[in-house]
Amino acid sequence: MRRRPILAAEVTSLCRRGRREEPGADTRTTFTTDLFQALKAADLKPFMDDDGIKRGNTITSELEEAIRNSRVSIIIFSKDYASSSWCLDELLYIFDQYHSKTKTHGILPLFYHVDPSIVRLNDKEDDKREKQFEKALDEHEKTFGKKKVDRWREVLIGCGLMAEFPFPKQKYSFPIDFIDDIVRTTGEEVGISIKEASAFRYDVLLSYASMDNRENFIELLDGELRSSEFIPFKAENNGLDGEEDDTSELMDAAISQSRSSIIVFSRNYAYSPRCLDQLLKMFEYSSETKRLVIIPVFYQVSKDQISMQAERLAGMYDKQFKREKVERWKEAIKGVAQLPAAVAFSGAATKRHLKQIVKAIEEKADRRPRKLPPV
């Protein structure tokens, strides 16, 4: 049986408890989740250190066993990493495996919005912000003593010297590029050639008019998708909601790398040229390739109202855009509006509505939620 890599460091699923001591309190939820899913999609059998393991003041025997049975430990350093004695103990155990007689355990440190020099404890005297790791260790000495903390210092310096994956970095335009590079490198560590992290980077692409995002509907939907272990691409958070049309390349990539798309029709969707461009790209790509499953949601608007909006496009945009483009917009709206809807509602979004959307993705896009693998 192939041994799995392990995401053996900060875990975002615990940050919801809001305690600074919790590993993962200062990493972005999407980054670690997306990395885990990309490793899993590449059949690298990852284990994440909150996978059914109860936390306490010291790392558990279950986690120690998981580390021993893994070939690679991926360590995610972030600004508050050294504040967690739990993370430091975990790191110490990983380093012991790395230096064991068998020499079969690899380490892949990631530096997420933290400079490797800080992890190496090469702090700049003129910048107090750069002393965060050393200050955390000094504080730990009061509780754990100098001998133990010096061991933590030793392994931190060792990891800092392995600085291969800092983010952000000029070569990585987006976090997904960073993740792809990590997955390929992890594959090399375990002897597997990986050209692409996954056939689809995203399970679902969300297209919506931000001006109609009442009651934080999109945030609630995004949260429901992630809790069901889907990887969503939310247009607004990726620079696609501005006025200038500078997103063509990024949007084309997102569409081609998504398994499905949720079109959130709302009162002002058809009044946004940006939304219409997104819709047209998705509609034509889906029609040509049959790769993208489009699922409409009617959010506080009816199918008849969307059809009426389509008919009004010519009068609204005839002076701004070429007639041919407006007609293509109109065709795309009508085509998508006629597809089976995940849900349509006029009032406030409820948990039931969110569940219906998830169910529609499962059924129409043949996508089941990804369960965490057993230890």
Side-chain angles (χ1 to χ4, degrees):
M1 180 182 296
R2 187 197 316 155
R3 292 199 292 166
R4 59 181 63 167
I6 177 172
L7 288 177
E10 305 193 338
V11 182
T12 56
S13 63
L14 292 182
C15 70
R16 69 187 73 173
R17 294 166 63 180
R19 291 168 49 195
R20 181 182 178 84
E21 176 66 7
E22 291 292 357
D26 65 328
T27 54
R28 304 295 183 267
T29 298
T30 56
F31 173 73
T32 306
T33 301
D34 289 355
L35 174 56
F36 178 88
Q37 298 290 12
L39 289 165
K40 187 176 179 183
D43 197 29
L44 288 170
K45 295 180 171 54
F47 170 90
M48 197 153 60
D49 67 357
D50 67 333
D51 186 13
I53 293 179
K54 184 177 180 180
R55 291 189 181 278
N57 294 324
T58 59
I59 65 174
T60 65
S61 59
E62 293 98 326
L63 179 56
E64 289 178 351
E65 182 181 1
I67 294 172
R68 289 195 302 271
N69 290 332
S70 300
R71 293 181 61 182
V72 180
S73 288
I74 298 176
I75 303 162
I76 306 174
F77 289 109
S78 54
K79 63 179 182 179
D80 284 333
Y81 183 93
S83 299
S84 169
S85 61
W86 200 98
C87 276
L88 294 170
D89 272 341
E90 183 182 22
L91 178 62
L92 189 60
Y93 190 82
I94 290 170
F95 240 70
D96 285 343
Q97 296 303 305
Y98 177 68
H99 289 293
S100 66
K101 293 181 180 179
T102 59
K103 301 291 183 183
T104 59
H105 193 91
I107 293 179
L108 185 60
L110 312 182
F111 301 87
Y112 188 74
H113 293 286
V114 63
D115 193 277
S117 66
I118 299 174
V119 179
R120 292 195 297 268
L121 307 180
N122 293 340
D123 299 322
K124 300 176 182 177
E125 295 182 1
D126 59 342
D127 192 341
K128 293 181 179 179
R129 292 175 302 175
E130 301 296 333
K131 290 181 173 290
Q132 51 209 21
F133 270 47
E134 190 58 69
K135 286 176 64 177
L137 293 171
D138 289 343
E139 192 66 27
H140 283 317
E141 279 194 17
K142 300 175 184 178
T143 304
F144 301 101
K146 188 174 188 305
K147 183 177 180 180
K148 182 168 186 175
V149 173
D150 279 347
R151 286 209 66 200
W152 286 342
R153 287 193 174 97
E154 181 183 341
V155 296
L156 284 170
I157 292 170
C159 281
L161 293 172
M162 300 178 182
E164 184 175 358
F165 285 107
F167 179 85
K169 188 177 180 181
Q170 189 173 4
K171 66 178 287 191
Y172 302 118
S173 300
F174 305 99
I176 194 66
D177 299 322
F178 184 41
I179 288 172
D180 277 352
D181 214 355
I182 295 165
V183 171
R184 280 189 286 269
T185 301
T186 305
E188 292 171 3
E189 286 283 337
V190 299
I192 300 173
S193 177
I194 300 171
K195 294 182 179 180
E196 295 294 336
S198 174
F200 295 102
R201 288 185 177 180
Y202 312 104
D203 293 309
V204 56
L205 187 155
L206 299 177
S207 176
Y208 61 96
S210 58
M211 67 186 77
D212 289 335
N213 185 23
R214 301 176 183 86
E215 303 157 345
N216 294 319
F217 171 64
I218 297 301
E219 287 71 25
L220 292 172
L221 176 56
D222 182 73
E224 185 69 25
L225 291 166
R226 292 186 184 279
S227 67
S228 298
E229 299 186 31
F230 290 107
I231 300 177
F233 179 98
K234 197 166 65 163
E236 186 179 25
N237 285 349
N238 291 275
L240 301 181
D241 206 36
E243 294 181 358
E244 296 182 4
D245 188 16
D246 58 354
T247 62
S248 179
E249 184 177 348
L250 175 57
M251 191 62 199
D252 288 347
I255 291 171
S256 65
Q257 294 158 2
S258 296
R259 186 187 304 270
S260 64
S261 174
I262 294 291
I263 308 295
V264 183
F265 283 124
S266 56
R267 295 171 187 173
N268 292 293
Y269 189 92
Y271 302 142
S272 165
R274 176 60 53 80
C275 286
L276 293 172
D277 275 341
Q278 290 180 23
L279 178 68
L280 180 59
K281 287 176 182 288
M282 287 182 281
F283 180 70
E284 293 185 343
Y285 179 79
S286 177
S287 299
E288 292 171 6
T289 67
K290 311 299 182 185
R291 276 174 52 93
L292 181 70
V293 177
I294 298 179
I295 305 170
V297 168
F298 295 91
Y299 173 56
Q300 298 185 346
V301 70
S302 68
K303 184 178 294 188
D304 289 342
Q305 287 175 302
I306 293 299
S307 297
M308 290 175 61
Q309 288 181 2
E311 294 298 336
R312 294 173 185 160
L313 289 180
M316 292 166 52
Y317 296 122
D318 58 350
K319 294 182 180 179
Q320 283 182 270
F321 303 98
K322 293 181 178 180
R323 181 176 179 181
E324 179 188 1
K325 183 170 188 176
V326 174
E327 286 298 317
R328 288 168 64 203
W329 282 346
K330 181 178 176 180
E331 180 184 355
I333 290 180
K334 288 187 172 183
V336 173
Q338 294 305 312
L339 295 172
V343 65
F345 57 98
S346 57
T350 66
K351 187 73 171 178
R352 180 174 63 85
H353 295 136
L354 301 176
K355 293 290 187 184
Q356 285 179 293
I357 295 172
V358 171
K359 184 178 179 181
I361 297 171
E362 293 174 8
E363 294 177 348
K364 301 179 189 303
D366 190 26
R367 165 67 171 84
R368 297 292 184 271
R370 308 178 203 188
K371 301 301 182 183
L372 292 174
V375 178

